[in-house]
Amino acid sequence: MSNKSATSSVAATVQEPMDHSVELGHGNSPAAWTCVAIMLFGCIVGCIAFVIGESATIVFWAGVAIMVIGLVTGMVMKKIGYGVDGSKLKNNGH
Protein backbone atom coordinates (compact mmCIF):
# COMPACT_ATOMS: atom_id res chain seq x y z
CA MET A 1 0.00 0.00 0.00
CA SER A 2 1.26 3.48 -0.86
CA ASN A 3 1.79 6.28 1.63
CA LYS A 4 0.82 8.94 -0.95
CA SER A 5 -2.33 10.88 -0.28
CA ALA A 6 -5.18 10.56 -2.72
CA THR A 7 -5.25 14.29 -3.43
CA SER A 8 -1.61 14.54 -4.45
CA SER A 9 -2.20 12.58 -7.65
CA VAL A 10 -5.14 14.73 -8.75
CA ALA A 11 -4.03 17.69 -10.81
CA ALA A 12 -5.45 20.94 -9.53
CA THR A 13 -7.28 22.79 -12.28
CA VAL A 14 -7.86 26.49 -11.93
CA GLN A 15 -10.91 27.82 -13.72
CA GLU A 16 -11.17 31.41 -14.75
CA PRO A 17 -14.23 33.24 -13.43
CA MET A 18 -17.19 33.38 -15.83
CA ASP A 19 -18.05 36.69 -17.45
CA HIS A 20 -21.76 37.20 -16.67
CA SER A 21 -21.92 40.54 -18.46
CA VAL A 22 -22.15 38.88 -21.90
CA GLU A 23 -25.71 38.70 -23.25
CA LEU A 24 -26.48 35.14 -24.33
CA GLY A 25 -29.76 35.83 -26.10
CA HIS A 26 -31.38 32.53 -25.07
CA GLY A 27 -33.27 32.30 -28.37
CA ASN A 28 -36.05 34.65 -27.33
CA SER A 29 -37.29 35.36 -30.86
CA PRO A 30 -40.25 34.56 -33.12
CA ALA A 31 -38.10 32.03 -34.99
CA ALA A 32 -37.22 30.16 -31.80
CA TRP A 33 -40.76 30.21 -30.42
CA THR A 34 -42.22 28.97 -33.71
CA CYS A 35 -39.62 26.22 -33.92
CA VAL A 36 -40.31 25.06 -30.36
CA ALA A 37 -44.11 25.22 -30.78
CA ILE A 38 -44.08 23.10 -33.94
CA MET A 39 -41.62 20.62 -32.47
CA LEU A 40 -43.69 20.35 -29.27
CA PHE A 41 -46.74 19.50 -31.39
CA GLY A 42 -44.69 16.83 -33.19
CA CYS A 43 -43.58 15.40 -29.85
CA ILE A 44 -47.20 15.22 -28.69
CA VAL A 45 -48.16 13.37 -31.89
CA GLY A 46 -45.29 10.92 -31.33
CA CYS A 47 -46.30 10.37 -27.69
CA ILE A 48 -49.89 9.69 -28.72
CA ALA A 49 -48.55 7.07 -31.15
CA PHE A 50 -46.76 5.29 -28.31
CA VAL A 51 -49.94 5.24 -26.27
CA ILE A 52 -52.00 3.88 -29.17
CA GLY A 53 -49.72 0.88 -29.64
CA GLU A 54 -48.07 -1.12 -32.37
CA SER A 55 -50.45 -0.11 -35.15
CA ALA A 56 -49.45 3.54 -34.84
CA THR A 57 -46.06 3.40 -36.55
CA ILE A 58 -47.20 5.84 -39.21
CA VAL A 59 -48.45 8.26 -36.57
CA PHE A 60 -45.08 8.08 -34.78
CA TRP A 61 -43.15 8.85 -37.96
CA ALA A 62 -45.60 11.67 -38.71
CA GLY A 63 -44.64 13.16 -35.33
CA VAL A 64 -40.95 12.85 -36.21
CA ALA A 65 -41.61 14.53 -39.57
CA ILE A 66 -43.44 17.38 -37.82
CA MET A 67 -40.43 17.89 -35.54
CA VAL A 68 -38.11 18.06 -38.55
CA ILE A 69 -40.47 20.56 -40.19
CA GLY A 70 -40.33 22.66 -37.00
CA LEU A 71 -36.53 22.66 -37.04
CA VAL A 72 -36.40 23.67 -40.70
CA THR A 73 -39.04 26.38 -40.11
CA GLY A 74 -37.00 27.85 -37.27
CA MET A 75 -33.83 27.90 -39.38
CA VAL A 76 -35.62 29.51 -42.33
CA MET A 77 -37.22 32.16 -40.10
CA LYS A 78 -33.82 32.93 -38.57
CA LYS A 79 -32.31 33.24 -42.04
CA ILE A 80 -34.97 35.73 -43.22
CA GLY A 81 -34.49 37.92 -40.15
CA TYR A 82 -36.77 36.71 -37.37
CA GLY A 83 -34.01 35.25 -35.19
CA VAL A 84 -32.25 36.91 -32.24
CA ASP A 85 -31.07 40.37 -33.40
CA GLY A 86 -32.59 39.72 -36.83
CA SER A 87 -33.15 42.48 -39.35
CA LYS A 88 -36.96 42.19 -39.11
CA LEU A 89 -36.90 42.71 -35.33
CA LYS A 90 -34.70 45.81 -35.13
CA ASN A 91 -36.42 49.04 -34.24
CA ASN A 92 -35.69 51.42 -37.09
CA GLY A 93 -37.70 54.34 -35.77
CA HIS A 94 -40.99 53.73 -37.61
Side-chain angles (χ1 to χ4, degrees), residues 42-93:
C43 183
I44 291 169
V45 169
C47 289
I48 289 171
F50 273 115
V51 172
I52 291 173
E54 292 181 23
S55 62
T57 304
I58 295 173
V59 177
F60 169 76
W61 286 110
V64 172
I66 291 170
M67 287 190 271
V68 171
I69 290 169
L71 182 63
V72 170
T73 301
M75 290 188 315
V76 168
M77 287 182 70
K78 180 181 177 185
K79 189 111 176 147
I80 63 174
Y82 287 103
V84 174
D85 294 329
S87 62
K88 304 281 184 176
L89 301 178
K90 293 184 180 179
N91 187 0
N92 57 9

Side-chain angles (χ1 to χ4, degrees), residues 3 5 8 10 16 86-87:
N3 289 335
S5 69
S8 66
V10 177
E16 296 181 22
S87 62

Side-chain angles (χ1 to χ4, degrees), residues 10-28:
V10 177
T13 58
V14 178
Q15 294 181 350
E16 296 181 22
M18 293 183 71
D19 183 13
H20 294 285
S21 65
V22 177
E23 179 65 34
L24 297 177
H26 297 292
N28 202 4

